[in-house]
Each structure stands twice: as structure tokens, then as C-alpha cells.
Amino acid sequence: MAPTMVLAGARVVLPTGIVDDGRVIVEGTRIAGAASADAQVVDVSGHWLVPGFVDIHNHGGGGASFSGPVDDVLTAIRTHRLHGTTTLVASTVTDDMDILAQQAGLLSELAEQGDIAGIHFEGPFISPCRKGAHSEALLRDPDPADVRKLIDAARGKARMVTLATELPGGLDSVRLLAEHGVIAAVGHTDATYEQTVEAIDAGATVATHLFNAMPVLGHRSPGPIAALLEDERVTVELINDGTHLHPAALELAFRHAGADRVAFITDAMDAAGIGDGRYMLGPLEVEVSEGVARLVEGGSIAGSTLTLDRAFKRAVTIDRLPVEDVVAALSANPARLLGMYDTIGSLEPGKDADLVLLDADFELKGVMRRGEWVVAPQLP
């Protein structure tokens, strides 16, 4: 076993607040409460130490997709780990049901090995009115039998299903998901305010990329946004890349939902960590230009090229959010949502040694996952 390591001198973000000149003790794969006399001390003064990031909505990166073969999936996982995401839920996109079931089987094996935290099915149970970058020809109503088919194919590793709950079978599917311990997420929806309230009462607990792919907030017809923001049972996903949301919309969500109900996500596609060019998102072709992904046909925004380290830096330097709130949105809140807060999501003794080291300008300098450096810091 590797010697105990003490990361000392950083500003450490704990659930109780920020500790200046703090230290985190790593023993094996876990965070420890005390260090042995022969512990290795690593001076990380002038840096921030925060928990590893948890991404509950991610389609790929590094030129690879979670809808692809095993090697592609592993490439996407590695890409996001290099940017601080130590726990990741793999998201699929709308496709033929048999193809989705087959991919669920592949992804469930990787979940069983601990490479991913589970599977998120985004589509095909979404509204053609709000389809975004999903193939309309492959969309279908959320029949509970079809939803059950995907859950079964995931072999206990389905974490979340995004649904347009106003469609036929939507509410019954929400109830089915809740019964099986799978998160029902309202998204790619054309629901009214009243229909969204019904979905939440039926068991929906997440807003898939709030504001995007749903009706705008209106003063006479408030739609799903108002219902999702106001209900304390709902966690709202936000894509903080400067493209999907105006800063005022981000501030509105944080102020109204509160920092404990926000989860920053990437909604990343293949181009994350790579750059501009032509890519595929499921069966649809995407053009990435200046970091913004859009469908070649129709021009709809097609996911993002975001990584969570960039979301972190933007949130604290541009949006001026408190560091503690950003850490909650990137780590603690999604960990709680996944039912994994007892092992990840904060820097506390007994939890996995998943952490991110940032410099004073919030640039990523180190990533540790389960006690091993994924990105080893270059320190003086």
C-alpha cells in the first residue's frame, strides 16, 4: 500500500465552510482523519482543494461517445477525468429501442466495474416540439412497457430517465421509475405549469438542463420552469458554458432554487476536450465551431463541449458565485441525488479520496480519484 499522503497548506472546501491552510489526509483509496508519523507531506500552498466533480448528464468527450463501443466509452471517461470529473453518469441519446437496450447492457458492465456511476437515458420519450438534437423519427411516447424495457436492460444500473411527462403514459412512467429507484427527470418537454406540477407530485425529482428544450417562462403561462424552480423536491440541472444560459438565468435559478438544489452538468458530446469539427450525436451530424455544437441540419444546439473544470472557473470568476455554492453544485448535490453522498461529494474522513486541486486562478492543476493521481500536480 502507498504511504499515507498529507496534502497541506491549501484552502480546503469542506461541508462546514472554507478552511485556510488546511490539509487533507489520503490513506489508500480513502480520506483519513489522522496521519501516521511517516506520512508523505505534499505542500499545496496557494491552491484550492475541492471534492472531485460529479456529472450526472454527459454524452461523451475526447472524440468518443457513450453511445459507442467499449473503447469509445473508456476514452470519454478518461477525457472527463482529466478535467476533474471523478464520478460520471453516462447519457445516451435517442435511438432505436433495441439499440438503446443493447448499449445499456454494455454500459451496465462498466457500471458494475465502477468506471461509471450508472446510465441516463435522454430520449426517446421526449416531445417532438422540444426535441433539440434528437432524431424526431425515433421519438416515442413514454409507454411504461418501453421504459421498463430500458430499465431491465440496464440491469440495475439505470440512474435517470428524461421524459416529456405530458405525453401519453408520462405520469405512469414517472411512477414506474420512482418505484424502481430510478430518477425521473422532466426535460425536452412542452408541458404546462399544471402538467409539470402533476409530474413532480407523481415522483419526478430532476429538471433536465433547466431552461433549455422547454417553454420559456411566461407571466400568464409560467410553464415547466416555474414549477421546477419552486418545488423543493426538484434538483435543477444547469449547463454553465456561457452558451446555453444567460448569466441572469443562471442567477435566477440559484437565487430561487437555492444552492442546495442546483447540479452543474456538462451535457457534453464527443467534441469535449477536443475542439472544433464535424461529429455525430447519435444518428445526427453536428458542427462544432468556436466551441459551440450545433446540428448541421436545422442549427439546434447539440449538447456542449463543456468540461466541469471550465464550469467551475466560469461560475466563480464570471458569475461571481461563492466557491462553497459552486462546490455544492459540482459535487455534493449530484452525489446526494445519486444516493452516493456517503462515499463521494465532499472531503470527509472515510469517503473516497476523490479531489481536485486548483490554483489561485481556479485553473485545474491536479486530479485524484480513489487515492491515485489522474493528473499529478507539478509543484515547486
Side-chain angles (χ1 to χ4, degrees):
M1 180 183 290
T4 302
M5 180 187 304
V6 180
L7 302 171
R11 302 190 75 188
V12 181
V13 182
L14 301 175
T16 52
I18 297 171
V19 177
D20 292 322
D21 194 20
R23 66 179 195 162
V24 174
I25 302 165
V26 176
E27 189 174 88
T29 63
R30 301 292 180 90
I31 297 171
S36 57
D38 62 345
Q40 174 193 2
V41 178
V42 180
D43 184 4
V44 288
S45 300
H47 291 74
W48 291 85
L49 267 177
V50 300
F53 307 144
V54 181
D55 194 353
I56 60 172
H57 187 157
N58 186 319
H59 297 280
S65 163
F66 290 123
S67 296
V70 171
D71 286 348
D72 283 9
V73 173
L74 293 175
T75 294
I77 293 168
R78 282 194 298 270
T79 297
H80 286 282
R81 282 186 188 167
L82 293 173
H83 292 275
T85 298
T86 51
T87 301
L88 182 149
V89 174
S91 302
T92 61
V93 294
T94 295
D95 212 323
D96 179 82
M97 283 291 292
D98 288 338
I99 292 174
L100 287 173
Q102 181 180 359
Q103 191 66 16
L106 181 154
L107 291 171
S108 68
E109 291 183 14
L110 295 173
E112 288 162 5
Q113 296 169 19
D115 294 307
I116 58 174
I119 306 164
H120 164 217
F121 297 101
E122 188 181 24
F125 312 116
I126 60 176
S127 171
C129 303
R130 305 286 174 177
K131 64 183 183 296
H134 292 255
S135 172
E136 185 168 354
L138 295 170
L139 300 183
R140 58 175 62 208
D141 290 338
D143 184 292
D146 287 337
V147 174
R148 180 63 186 267
K149 178 180 179 178
L150 294 186
I151 295 174
D152 290 345
R155 302 202 304 261
K157 299 303 179 182
R159 289 288 193 176
M160 183 162 66
V161 178
T162 292
L163 309 128
T165 55
E166 75 278 9
L167 296 176
L171 293 180
D172 286 339
S173 290
V174 169
R175 295 185 188 102
L176 173 73
L177 291 167
E179 288 169 6
H180 285 79
V182 180
I183 298 163
V186 177
H188 288 275
T189 177
D190 204 40
T192 63
Y193 172 88
E194 291 77 13
Q195 288 171 326
T196 307
V197 169
E198 277 191 287
I200 297 167
D201 287 340
T205 57
V206 165
T208 293
H209 43 53
L210 186 75
F211 299 109
N212 297 113
M214 59 183 63
V216 297
L217 182 64
H219 64 290
R220 291 193 183 94
S221 178
I225 293 172
L228 294 163
L229 276 177
E230 73 183 9
D231 199 300
E232 294 184 356
R233 294 171 289 182
V234 177
T235 298
V236 297
E237 295 181 348
L238 298 175
I239 308 171
N240 191 27
D241 62 351
T243 299
H244 281 79
L245 295 176
H246 189 283
L250 182 84
E251 183 183 4
L252 173 68
F254 260 92
R255 181 171 297 185
H256 200 80
D260 60 343
R261 287 179 46 218
V262 172
F264 278 142
I265 60 164
T266 59
D267 194 18
M269 46 79 72
D270 301 26
I274 293 291
D276 293 354
R278 289 277 179 116
Y279 300 86
M280 297 300 295
L281 184 62
L284 302 178
E285 191 172 14
V286 175
E287 175 80 31
V288 178
S289 177
E290 296 182 354
V292 179
R294 293 185 179 276
L295 290 181
V296 171
E297 186 175 337
S300 175
I301 293 177
S304 84
T305 61
L306 187 63
T307 52
L308 285 183
D309 57 332
R310 285 172 44 212
F312 192 116
K313 181 171 182 176
R314 179 180 179 85
V316 295
T317 63
I318 296 176
D319 302 311
R320 302 294 180 184
L321 293 171
V323 172
E324 306 97 307
D325 290 353
V326 177
V327 168
L330 285 165
S331 303
N333 298 344
R336 286 194 185 95
L337 191 66
L338 295 174
M340 298 177 69
Y341 190 67
D342 58 334
T343 56
I344 63 170
S346 65
L347 300 177
E348 296 178 89
K351 293 195 175 186
D352 289 349
D354 293 353
L355 55 86
V356 176
L357 186 70
L358 304 163
D359 68 14
D361 297 320
F362 299 99
E363 291 288 340
L364 184 143
K365 295 300 177 182
V367 180
M368 179 181 286
R369 184 174 187 269
R370 297 180 184 171
E372 294 187 4
W373 288 114
V374 177
V375 178
Q378 303 298 312
L379 301 168

